[in-house]
Structures are given as structure tokens and as C-alpha cells.
């Protein structure tokens, strides 16, 4: 044993947490307030359990320096608490060999080749949610990787997508998972390709003009392969120790592993993690999972106790991100439908840029899935279209399919519409109504992997997305691409879809016809008119009230046979107008609209 390695060199120690490489040396720093002694064992000292001793700093931190350790070498902390000895991975390790393996010393100093990508304006985003392990999985015995996603970036670009939301990619137990069981929050899942794989995906996506939003989980850790559990040997009530609540507040639906937001060190740990995705990996946004379980002991289900420290955590993270990186989008999956989530912090809110909107997904799915036309409530649909949090129509993420909505006992929309026959005309047409609503309603639209070609299998983390379905549904994929490009403005003349205003022009419960106008007040209004038939009956020369002498031009017809040969025989040639009062408007626009058909018009 080299005695020099046991000597702390405080003047030369680098700042930061974990293993910090600087000036041809490595500083190891870890928080373990109840430890009596801590050593670092690794490749650099033949895994000697007393080879490099750390010295105690203030507030329970320990640090030590060595010039023997090199990048790429493996290590662990050896923590002594009384007679007990624990081998622990570094909580800040950016890479581990596997979820129950060793930490790896490494820098995250990637060559970004001048990457300066920024998300488009949030009202121009279309998000594509995908799971790395299944999205482009090729081998039965190997999960998909970041490189497999890279192979599909051209496809996503052609679809018109400008933002990908990844299910969690922090290291989790095993290789097959949704990702919400993070074991090592700072490490990148090795089976996906580790840190280098994620870097490559983000860099290449940015070259295509596609942003990356990372799903992160701060409401619980693990629960398996979690070295944070009783990290320094201390705990109370048989609970998790310094990183976790040690009373009833530890309980979550995913284990006894809620972080202790009341400890400043734990809040700092989660803050550092949030900033890592942005600063080290150039992610363009964060989607925070189940935030209601950060702010309520029981997730806000009925009478519940608020966790004030959880609110502080989220406000602090959102404040820092907004101040440093105003183009970065933070999204809450809260699903309580409260303005508080997206209201500005200075107005008493939590400060997220957007939140997943239960006021949209639930009534829209119900309307699409219901087998009876008479039961389709157009008032509920109109309310879903126009619902708004605070003053910004784009503070909500709207969707009909997400990883949650197509699993856990729920199926894809086409399968829900026609179980066992998801490629029937009914299933196709009504599913596409949902896609039209998502792309034309105010909010940030999101689709789930495969929705663009009407994937009907429910989401399983051990089965690949069925790209054979895409081969059979290329016309439907073209329809989806046309909608996406109308939404983003790529096709022009649709600024109204990115505006704050939505006006319900026509709502007829008997005919099941709904028409609404999207508008962007100002110099470049470019209003957009959307007409949808929620019933199984064709209409010819159907009247919609329009403004005086307005020349609406047909831009999209969901019933076009170019999308699917089985679609309607009813001719759809645009709108004829006449000076006749309809819907309290001086003029009437007459259209042919097929059963379960959707049309989009611009000026």
C-alpha cells in the first residue's frame, strides 16, 4: 500500500461530487454523514479496501485525491459504520458496468461539434414519445439501443417530428424495463449504449432539427439494485437511510423509496441530476414523472397530506432552469388538472412549462372508443378542445396515446375501438379523428411510438414495435405526416394552429358534426378551420356558419383514398359558400363530409 495515497490533499482537491478528473488527478467526494471511515477501492489500487482513504469535510461530506486513478477504471466506496462495512457505488457515477456492478471513472466532455440547437417555440412542437428498448429493437435477445433510434431519425424527420421524448434512460435493474425503476440516477443505461450512446443520439437528433426531452423520475428510486439504500449504514424504522424518508412518507406505489426532499443534500442531488441532462447531454427538456407523488404523500388521491419540501424542490429546479436555459421545456406528469403546476412561480405556481392534460385525453378517448354514436358527447369534446391552464393555451401536452394509456390494462386506440379487429374501417377512421384532434387543438401535441401507423398492440417493454404494421399502413403514415406538417407550419398558411384562440363555430349533437376555428391574433393570423364528423353517416352540402365572404381552401381530407383505398366514395371537393345565415354567421359554407371524416381548411 502506498502511504501517500492515504493522505488527503485538500488544497489540490477539485470541486464537485463523485469522481472528478482534473489536473492529472481524481478527486473522490461523497456525502455519507454517518460513516466513521471511507475508502475508495478500484482498479487503480488493486481493489485494496484501505488503499485510498477519504477525509471528512463539513456537513457529512468526505473527499480524497489520487494521481493513480485513470479514466475508464472501475471503483467503489468502502464505507465503515461501526463494525459494519458496505461497498457502495458512487451516487454521482455517470456510468456503471451494470445496475449491480461497479462505478466507472469518466468525464462527460463530449465533442458536440458546435451544437447550438434550441427547441422551436413551444407552440410549434410535436412530440414523439418513444421507448429506446423497443422502438427499433432488432434482436429477440437484445434490447434496442440509442444507435437503433439514430437509424430512424430520418424517418421521424420525414414524419415532421421536431421533438422526441425518451422514456427514462438512467441505469435500471436488468435490461428490460419501462425505465421508471432507476437504480443509478446519474448513470446511463448500459444496455441502451451508455453515456456515449446518449450523446450520439442527442447530437445526431439535433442535426436533424429534432430536440430531445428526457423523462426523469424523482418521486422514487429503484426499488431494486439501489446502492442509495441505507447508503452509509444509518437508517430508522428499517427504512432507506439518508437519501430517503425514514417514516411513513417513504411509502410510494413503487416501493418504500421516496427521496427525503426535506434534506438539502437530497434536493441538491436531484437538482444536480436535472441539470446534468441539460448541461452534459444537451437535452432540450425534462418530463418529470408522477409529480403528484413529489408534492403529496398519497399522490393527491382524495384527502392527502402535502409535502412542502417536494414543492420547494420542483420550484427550485424550474426556477434555475428557466433562468439559465429559458428555451428548455419542463413538463410535469401530474394529472391532477391544476393551474398550480404550470402557473409562474412569482404567481404562486410551481413553474413547469407544460403538463400532461387529463382534461384532454380522458374525454377524447371516451368519445373515440364508445361504440354508440348517440353516446358521443360533443360538448365534452368541445370542452376538452378549449380547456386551458392559466393564460397560456400551450401549457398543456395533449395526446390520446402515451406509454401509460396503451398499457396497464389499456390498449391502443384502434384496438379499444374494435377489439380483435383494429384494422377495420371503424377503428381506422375513429382513431384518425383522435389524431386530428391532437394536431389541431391548442396545446403541445404528442403521439406515442407507432401511433402514426395505427399500431394496435399494447405497449410491452420486452417486445419490439411492429414495423411490419408500418409497411401495411404507409398511407396512414402519410396522413399522420400531413397532419404533423400542418401543425408545425412546414406546409405554410396554418399559423392559426399555433395561436392562442379557439372558437367553436358549429356543434350539432344530432348530426354529430363539430367545427372549430383556430386563430393567432396579430399581423399573421392565418386562421384554420377544422370540421369533424363524429358519426357514421355521410353528409352532402352540410352547412357551417362562416364569416362574410370567406374563401376557405381545403388542405386536408382524412377520407381521401390516397390514404386508404377503403375510405369514402363521397366526393370531397372543398367548400361552396352562399350568403345564408347559419350558426349566427352571415354566410354558410357547404361541404360534403363523409362518416367519421375530418377536414382542415385555410385561407
Amino acid at each position: 500500500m502506498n502511504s501517500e495515497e492515504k493522505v488527503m490533499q485538500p488544497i489540490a482537491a477539485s470541486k464537485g461530487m463523485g469522481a472528478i478528473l482534473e489536473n492529472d488527478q481524481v478527486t473522490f467526494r461523497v456525502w455519507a454523514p454517518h460513516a466513521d471511515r471511507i475508502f475508495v477501492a478500484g482498479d487503480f489500487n488493486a481493489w485494496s479496501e484501505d488503499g485510498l482513504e477519504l477525509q471528512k469535510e463539513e456537513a457529512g461530506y468526505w473527499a480524497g485525491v489520487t494521481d493513480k486513478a485513470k479514466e475508464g477504471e472501475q471503483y467503489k466506496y468502502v464505507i465503515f459504520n461501526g463494525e459494519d462495512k458496505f461497498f457502495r457505488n458512487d451516487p454521482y457515477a455517470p456510468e456503471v458496468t451494470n445496475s449491480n456492478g461497479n462505478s466507472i471513472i469518466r468525464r462527460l466532455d463530449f465533442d458536440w461539434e458546435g451544437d447550438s440547437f434550441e427547441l422551436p417555440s413551444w407552440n410549434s412542437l410535436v412530440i414523439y414519445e418513444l421507448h429506446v428498448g423497443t422502438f427499433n429493437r432488432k434482436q429477440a435477445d437484445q434490447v434496442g439501443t440509442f444507435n437503433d433510434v439514430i437509424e430512424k431519425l430520418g424517418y421521424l424527420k420525414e414524419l415532421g417530428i421536431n421533438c422526441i421524448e425518451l422514456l427514462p434512460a438512467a441505469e435500471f435493474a436488468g435490461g428490460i424495463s419501462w425505465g421508471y425503476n432507476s437504480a443509478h440516477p446519474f448513470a446511463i443505461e448500459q444496455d441502451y449504449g451508455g453515456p456515449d450512446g446518449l450523446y450520439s443520439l442527442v447530437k445526431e437528433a439535433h442535426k436533424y432539427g429534432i430536440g430531445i426531452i428526457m423523462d426523469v423520475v424523482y418521486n422514487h428510486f429503484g426499488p431494486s439494485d439501489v446502492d442509495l439504500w441505507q447508503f452509509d449504514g444509518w437508517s430508522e424504522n428499517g427504512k432507506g437511510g439518508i437519501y430517503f424518508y425514514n417514516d411513513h412518507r417513504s411509502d410510494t406505489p413503487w416501493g418504500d423509496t421516496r427521496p427525503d426532499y426535506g434534506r438539502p443534500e437530497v434536493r441538491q442531488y436531484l437538482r444536480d441530476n436535472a441539470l446534468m441532462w441539460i448541461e452534459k447531454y444537451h437535452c432540450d427538456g425534462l418530463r418529470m414523472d408522477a409529480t403528484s407523488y413529489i408534492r403529496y404523500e398519497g399522490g393527491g388521491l382524495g384527502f392527502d397530506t402535502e409535502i412542502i419540501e417536494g414543492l420547494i424542490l420542483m420550484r427550485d429546479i424550474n426556477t434555475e432552469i428557466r433562468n439559465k436555459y429559458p428555451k428548455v421545456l419542463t413538463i410535469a406528469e401530474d394529472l391532477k388538472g391544476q393551474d398550480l403546476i404550470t402557473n409562474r412561480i412569482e404567481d404562486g405556481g410551481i413553474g413547469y412549462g407544460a403538463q400532461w392534460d387529463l382534461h384532454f385525453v380522458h374525454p377524447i378517448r371516451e368519445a373515440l372508443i364508445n361504440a354508440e354514436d348517440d353516446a358521443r358527447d360533443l360538448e365534452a369534446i368541445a370542452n376538452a378542445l378549449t380547456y386551458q391552464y392559466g393564460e397560456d393555451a400551450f401549457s398543456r401536452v395533449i395526446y390520446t396515446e402515451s406509454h401509460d394509456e396503451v398499457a396497464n390494462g389499456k390498449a391502443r386506440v384502434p384496438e379499444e375501438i374494435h377489439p380483435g379487429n383494429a384494422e377495420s374501417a371503424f377503428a381506422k377512421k375513429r382513431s384518425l379523428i383522435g389524431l386530428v384532434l391532437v394536431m389541431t387543438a391548442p396545446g403541445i401535441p404528442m403521439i406515442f411510438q407507432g401511433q402514426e401507423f395505427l399500431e394496435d398492440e399494447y405497449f410491452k417493454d420486452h417486445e419490439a414495435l411492429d414495423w411490419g404494421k408500418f409497411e401495411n399502413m404507409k398511407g396512414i403514415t402519410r396522413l399522420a405526416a400531413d397532419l404533423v406538417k400542418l401543425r408545425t407550419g412546414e406546409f405554410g398558411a396554418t399559423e392559426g394552429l399555433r395561436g392562442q384562440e379557439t372558437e367553436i363555430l358549429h356543434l350539432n349533437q344530432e348530426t354529430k358534426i363539430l367545427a372549430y376555428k383556430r386563430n393567432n391574433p396579430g399581423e399573421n393570423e392565418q386562421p384554420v378551420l377544422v370540421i369533424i364528423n363524429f358519426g357514421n353517416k355521410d353528409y352532402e352540402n352540410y352547412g357551417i356558419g362562416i364569416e362574410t365572404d370567406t374563401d376557405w381552401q381545403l388542405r386536408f381530407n382524412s377520407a381521401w383514398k390516397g390514404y386508404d383505398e377503403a375510405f369514402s366514395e363521397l366526393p370531397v371537393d372543398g367548400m361552396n359558400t352562399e350568403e345564408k345565415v347559419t350558426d349566427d354567421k352571415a354566410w354558410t359554407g357547404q361541404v360534403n363530409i363523409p362518416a367519421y371524416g375530418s377536414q382542415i381548411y385555410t385561407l
Side-chain angles (χ1 to χ4, degrees):
M1 175 178 62
N2 187 334
S3 61
E4 291 182 356
E5 287 189 327
K6 281 193 169 186
V7 178
M8 172 67 177
Q9 303 173 35
I11 296 177
S14 299
K15 296 180 180 179
M17 295 296 296
I20 309 107
L21 291 89
E22 189 175 55
N23 301 324
D24 297 320
Q25 66 184 26
V26 177
T27 298
F28 293 94
R29 182 171 288 109
V30 65
W31 176 56
H34 299 280
D36 295 320
R37 299 180 74 186
I38 301 180
F39 297 84
V40 185
D43 292 336
F44 63 92
N45 61 10
W47 290 91
S48 170
E49 295 180 14
D50 61 353
L52 173 62
E53 185 170 5
L54 306 188
Q55 293 192 8
K56 199 167 189 177
E57 298 180 323
E58 295 180 355
Y61 290 90
W62 300 72
V65 181
T66 179
D67 59 3
K68 307 299 183 185
K70 305 299 180 187
E71 186 165 18
E73 293 185 316
Q74 300 177 27
Y75 70 100
K76 273 188 174 178
Y77 294 117
V78 186
I79 300 175
F80 290 87
N81 183 324
E83 297 298 319
D84 295 323
K85 178 173 66 176
F86 306 95
F87 289 86
R88 301 296 195 211
N89 274 297
D90 191 337
Y92 278 84
E95 185 173 13
V96 294
T97 57
N98 56 66
S99 63
N100 57 9
N102 301 320
S103 302
I104 299 174
I105 300 169
R106 68 163 299 159
R107 295 181 177 90
L108 297 178
D109 55 352
F110 306 112
D111 178 9
W112 287 99
E113 301 179 356
D115 173 43
S116 59
F117 177 86
E118 290 182 341
L119 278 182
S121 298
W122 298 348
N123 66 344
S124 298
L125 288 181
V126 175
I127 297 174
Y128 189 96
E129 188 188 24
L130 69 82
H131 175 250
V132 175
T134 60
F135 173 64
N136 190 27
R137 181 176 177 172
K138 300 172 181 176
Q139 307 296 330
D141 60 348
Q142 182 179 329
V143 299
T145 67
F146 296 122
N147 282 335
D148 293 329
V149 177
I150 290 173
E151 290 183 11
K152 290 291 187 182
L153 289 175
Y155 164 82
L156 293 174
K157 179 69 173 178
E158 184 64 26
L159 187 61
I161 297 299
N162 54 22
C163 187
I164 296 170
E165 182 177 303
L166 300 177
L167 268 66
E171 186 74 37
F172 47 74
I176 296 176
S177 170
W178 289 20
Y180 294 95
N181 55 329
S182 168
H184 303 277
F186 282 77
I188 310 303
E189 175 60 35
Q190 280 290 16
D191 287 316
Y192 288 173
D196 295 297
L198 177 58
Y199 147 70
S200 296
L201 171 57
V202 176
K203 183 175 71 170
E204 294 305 312
H206 286 177
K207 290 179 180 179
Y208 278 91
I210 297 173
I212 299 289
I213 293 174
M214 181 59 70
D215 202 334
V216 295
V217 185
Y218 298 149
N219 52 67
H220 74 287
F221 295 134
S224 56
D225 291 0
V226 180
D227 273 13
L228 298 177
W229 185 262
Q230 299 181 0
F231 182 75
D232 62 3
W234 173 86
S235 68
E236 290 181 342
N237 304 314
K239 303 281 187 173
I242 59 174
Y243 279 94
F244 304 91
Y245 284 114
N246 285 263
D247 57 19
H248 67 280
R249 291 173 293 180
S250 67
D251 181 50
T252 76
W254 311 280
D256 220 18
T257 56
R258 179 183 277 124
D260 185 349
Y261 311 122
R263 288 182 181 261
E265 298 86 355
V266 175
R267 292 203 303 273
Q268 183 70 34
Y269 181 69
L270 296 172
R271 171 268 179 199
D272 291 348
N273 185 264
L275 270 292
M276 176 196 73
W277 301 106
I278 299 165
E279 296 176 346
K280 297 299 184 182
Y281 290 102
H282 287 204
C283 291
D284 307 288
L286 300 176
R287 181 265 193 193
M288 295 193 191
D289 178 64
T291 54
S292 62
Y293 283 91
I294 298 176
R295 63 193 188 99
Y296 284 108
E297 291 182 14
L301 302 174
F303 179 78
D304 205 352
T305 303
E306 195 171 39
I307 304 174
I308 299 300
E309 301 96 331
L311 289 172
I312 293 171
L313 167 76
M314 292 187 287
R315 284 172 175 157
D316 286 351
I317 290 175
N318 283 323
T319 296
E320 186 166 2
I321 290 175
R322 185 60 53 85
N323 289 340
K324 290 182 177 178
Y325 310 104
K327 296 285 188 177
V328 168
L329 174 62
T330 58
I331 301 172
E333 186 220 14
D334 200 80
L335 300 180
K336 292 293 173 285
Q338 298 175 344
D339 291 4
L340 169 76
I341 303 301
T342 43
N343 281 351
R344 296 182 303 175
I345 292 169
E346 52 267 37
D347 296 331
I350 302 179
Y352 285 95
Q355 59 178 305
W356 280 22
D357 185 24
L358 82 166
H359 293 292
F360 186 92
V361 60
H362 293 161
I364 297 300
R365 278 181 69 98
E366 181 179 348
L368 298 175
I369 292 167
N370 200 309
E372 300 297 328
D373 285 347
D374 289 343
R376 255 177 278 287
D377 184 355
L378 267 59
E379 289 285 357
I381 296 169
N383 290 337
L385 286 169
T386 57
Y387 192 87
Q388 184 169 313
Y389 297 102
E391 299 178 354
D392 185 2
F394 296 92
S395 61
R396 63 177 188 162
V397 175
I398 54 176
Y399 55 95
T400 57
E401 293 190 357
S402 71
H403 67 273
D404 275 330
E405 292 295 336
V406 300
N408 293 327
K410 302 176 185 177
R412 297 279 192 150
V413 170
E415 179 66 17
E416 292 274 18
I417 291 173
H418 200 164
N421 193 5
E423 294 189 13
S424 69
F426 286 116
K428 286 180 181 178
K429 292 176 183 179
R430 294 218 301 269
S431 297
L432 294 173
I433 288 176
L435 200 56
V436 170
L437 290 168
V438 167
M439 292 300 163
T440 60
I444 300 174
M446 182 181 75
I447 61 175
F448 186 61
Q449 60 182 35
Q451 186 175 355
E452 71 277 14
F453 50 79
L454 299 185
E455 169 67 278
D456 53 29
E457 291 288 335
Y458 70 87
F459 172 54
K460 312 181 197 67
D461 56 16
H462 60 280
E463 289 190 11
L465 180 63
D466 183 5
W467 285 96
K469 188 85 170 179
F470 163 71
E471 294 297 328
N472 297 328
M473 292 283 188
K474 288 187 176 179
I476 300 298
T477 305
R478 178 179 176 183
L479 179 153
D482 287 349
L483 280 172
V484 170
K485 291 171 183 177
L486 285 167
R487 177 65 182 76
T488 62
E490 187 173 333
F491 283 169
T494 57
E495 193 65 32
L497 292 178
R498 296 174 293 285
Q500 295 284 342
E501 291 186 356
T502 302
E503 179 185 358
I504 304 297
L505 297 178
H506 182 91
L507 189 158
N508 190 317
Q509 294 281 24
E510 183 177 343
T511 62
K512 298 303 176 185
I513 304 291
L514 177 69
Y516 53 95
K517 183 172 72 172
R518 296 292 315 286
N519 198 35
N520 185 40
E523 295 181 1
N524 192 26
E525 293 188 3
Q526 295 184 345
V528 176
L529 172 64
V530 183
I531 305 174
I532 303 176
N533 183 352
F534 286 87
N536 190 30
K537 180 181 178 181
D538 293 342
Y539 288 96
E540 296 185 57
N541 299 317
Y542 190 91
I544 303 289
I546 60 175
E547 301 293 339
T548 302
D549 202 16
T550 309
D551 186 20
W552 289 106
Q553 299 297 311
L554 180 66
R555 297 293 300 279
F556 171 85
N557 168 28
S558 70
W560 180 48
K561 282 183 171 290
Y563 295 140
D564 192 307
E565 280 294 332
F567 283 175
S568 177
E569 300 289 342
L570 181 68
V572 176
D573 300 318
M575 179 182 293
N576 297 315
T577 60
E578 63 174 326
E579 191 172 0
K580 172 185 173 183
V581 175
T582 302
D583 300 323
D584 297 323
K585 296 288 195 297
W587 283 67
T588 298
Q590 293 180 334
V591 298
N592 290 352
I593 183 161
Y596 300 131
S598 304
Q599 297 170 18
I600 298 175
Y601 293 81
T602 62
L603 295 179

